[in-house]
Amino acid sequence: MTIREINFDGIIGPSHNYAGLSLGNLASFTNKGQVSHPKAAALQGLTKMRHNLELGLAQAFVVPHPRPDHPWLAELGTDVEQVPASLRPAAFSASAMWAANAATVSPAPDTADGRCHLTVANLRTMAHRSHEWPATLAQLRLAFADERHFAVHAPIPATFADEGAANHMRLGASHEASGVEVFVYGQRGGAFPARQHVEASRAIARLHKLQPDRALFVCQSEEAIAAGAFHNDVVAVANENVLFAHEQAFENKVDFYTELKRLLPEVQIVEVPASAVSLDEAIKSYLFNAQLVTLPDGAMALILPEEARETPSVWKWLEDMVAGNGPIRKLLVVDVRQSMANGGGPACLRLRVVADPATVDPRFTADAAKIDRIAATIDQHWPDRIAPEDLLRPDLWAELENARLALLRALQLEELA
Ligand code: SUG
């Protein structure tokens, strides 16, 4: 049994487009109506996966959802031909690419039954994301079918909004039961919605059978949400004993840090002060939406988007940090600009699961050869560009469906068709 971190990246779907659907997500708003480049987007995602594999990290993936979403349109009393303009982009959204929102994951050492638990997110706050869960559930039930090791839960009732791992951090040594799970919820966000309800987080902690005294429920700061941090992972990220966060990420950071240090005395908190990097710069550059990973040689690295390197205050702060004596020793940069333009950085694109890769359905795990195969399918079938008016074209609908089927065939995942 080799338990390790496996990152499941969302393969970026052929319908990737910029529809400005996410209130409170500034990139989505700013790029509304732009022409998207689905093929380039998906290839950028694959290059990130290759990059991480080459670092010696375990890599897996989840596949795009069927778009347009016919069953969802039928539930709304319409279909792809008649659908009103107000709903059309939501039926085509490729937003399932952001796998950090697929589910909340508790590793086996934290749970009473010693299994890794996953609860699929209901994503009910945004219409275009609220219909992701059935395809996510089907896929996770397949990938984690081995019930000796995994328990996959359906979403909690949509009464309480839940956005998955983007609002959850697990601190502590990977293999030990002494970990702490931090659930970050929102209460107020100024003009923007808080997307995570505390009752959703509490329900997940109960479903995952966590030790009640090792789960913390922490409120995201109103100013962070109001500045565009629609998920906690836009202003904070954790790995093992390290929490890397913006000074203004949490509503009451003094109490949170005190409690965290009591539960996990070895915790190292790396805080970026607002005087060095403002919330606005943090959100534009996505420096916290990095993958904070432990490399095979034991060093910790941040896998950052290009936009972080291009923001002088951010890059200077990061370079000073690695030159110092802190726990984060390396900065690595990836280009995921197509996803970034919709508010999804390197960390949004992946769902982190700590498990033995041998217990996961091998059709979802990646090696270099499989990534080449996926890239060839994308190169052949993904559209080069989508402008908003293209969503009206029946020939594009057929192209999107055929593209996804070609990928499922290449991966022997036709049962998800
Ligand atoms: O939910 N963007 C996504 C970005 C999700 C990022 N995920 C994490 N932070 N983990 C969202 O806001 C934009 C789609 C559009 O406007 O077409 C969108 O859904």
Side-chain angles (χ1 to χ4, degrees):
M1 211 48 184
T2 326
I3 304 279
R4 57 188 304 206
E5 173 176 318
I6 315 165
N7 285 298
F8 285 75
D9 278 43
I11 295 177
I12 297 176
S15 69
H16 162 61
N17 70 94
Y18 298 120
L21 296 175
S22 275
L23 177 67
N25 169 342
L26 301 180
S28 155
F29 177 77
T30 311
N31 292 304
K32 178 178 178 162
Q34 295 286 320
V35 172
S36 69
H37 297 280
K39 185 182 291 183
L43 295 176
Q44 285 172 357
L46 290 180
T47 302
K48 165 163 106 74
M49 290 193 229
R50 261 194 215 103
H51 170 269
N52 290 357
L53 266 176
E54 283 162 13
L55 292 174
L57 305 173
Q59 187 65 54
F61 53 81
V62 286
V63 296
H65 291 189
R67 295 291 177 267
D69 190 342
H70 298 291
W72 183 65
L73 288 171
E75 280 179 332
L76 292 165
T78 185
D79 61 32
V80 67
E81 270 146 33
Q82 323 271 334
V83 60
S86 56
L87 276 181
R88 180 175 295 274
F92 281 87
S93 180
S95 50
M97 72 175 80
W98 297 297
N101 304 118
T104 305
V105 188
S106 295
D110 295 355
T111 70
D113 62 9
R115 297 188 294 168
C116 171
H117 283 246
L118 302 95
T119 294
V120 172
N122 62 35
L123 290 166
R124 78 113 206 243
T125 305
M126 297 293 154
H128 67 291
R129 307 212 61 179
S130 67
H131 57 110
E132 284 175 32
W133 72 262
T136 302
L137 183 61
Q139 207 167 154
L140 297 190
R141 288 228 158 117
L142 210 56
F144 304 107
D146 187 340
E147 291 182 2
R148 288 167 307 171
H149 301 287
F150 299 102
V152 178
H153 304 271
I156 58 155
T159 323
F160 300 117
D162 172 33
E163 303 259 331
N167 292 320
H168 174 258
M169 302 183 286
R170 199 269 182 188
L171 285 131
S174 311
H175 306 295
E176 287 169 24
S178 55
V180 178
E181 295 205 13
V182 180
F183 293 82
V184 183
Y185 62 92
Q187 266 174 343
R188 278 173 294 278
F192 297 147
R195 294 209 214 172
Q196 183 78 34
H197 197 293
V198 66
E199 289 299 347
S201 302
R202 290 216 168 94
I204 293 166
R206 286 191 292 271
L207 287 166
H208 290 193
K209 304 182 202 302
L210 302 181
Q211 283 184 56
D213 55 350
R214 302 202 70 80
L216 296 178
F217 299 91
V218 176
C219 189
Q220 203 186 350
S221 83
E222 179 173 0
E223 55 190 341
I225 299 176
F230 53 94
H231 290 137
N232 172 64
D233 70 2
V234 175
V235 280
V237 59
N239 179 50
E240 298 189 359
N241 294 329
V242 177
L243 170 65
F244 178 54
H246 191 268
E247 182 185 4
Q248 289 160 293
F250 308 106
E251 192 64 42
N252 186 344
K253 75 167 185 180
V254 176
D255 286 359
F256 169 37
Y257 291 173
T258 307
E259 201 47 13
L260 188 58
K261 285 178 191 155
R262 186 181 67 76
L263 290 169
L264 197 72
E266 60 274 36
V267 73
Q268 290 180 272
I269 300 173
V270 181
E271 196 183 72
V272 181
S275 57
V277 175
S278 68
L279 264 181
D280 288 351
E281 288 169 317
I283 287 156
K284 273 206 196 84
S285 67
Y286 261 38
L287 85 144
F288 296 101
N289 200 261
Q291 289 181 247
L292 181 56
V293 298
T294 307
L295 300 173
D297 66 3
M300 252 189 228
L302 273 175
I303 301 170
L304 294 140
E306 284 285 3
E307 288 78 350
R309 181 158 57 188
E310 289 166 0
T311 309
S313 60
V314 166
W315 198 249
K316 179 180 183 322
W317 198 90
L318 289 170
E319 285 195 320
D320 290 349
M321 172 187 74
V322 293
N325 249 342
I328 304 173
R329 311 301 311 163
K330 266 193 187 146
L331 306 176
L332 304 166
V333 176
V334 291
D335 175 0
V336 288
R337 288 184 198 280
Q338 282 285 313
S339 167
M340 281 286 287
N342 249 338
C348 299
L349 284 164
R350 62 93 175 93
L351 182 68
R352 199 161 22 168
V353 177
V354 174
D356 179 353
T359 61
V360 174
D361 186 320
R363 289 175 297 178
F364 292 90
T365 54
D367 57 23
K370 203 191 272 192
I371 291 186
D372 289 346
R373 233 171 43 237
I374 298 172
T377 307
I378 285 169
D379 198 45
Q380 196 183 344
H381 294 282
W382 261 231
D384 285 318
R385 66 196 300 280
I386 298 183
E389 60 277 13
D390 291 330
L391 299 183
L392 293 161
R393 283 181 16 224
D395 61 312
L396 179 72
W397 311 340
E399 190 183 341
L400 300 176
E401 291 178 331
N402 288 336
R404 177 171 180 271
L405 286 180
L407 179 66
L408 295 183
R409 271 197 294 275
L411 298 170
Q412 287 154 349
L413 281 168
E414 290 96 331
E415 63 206 276
L416 291 172

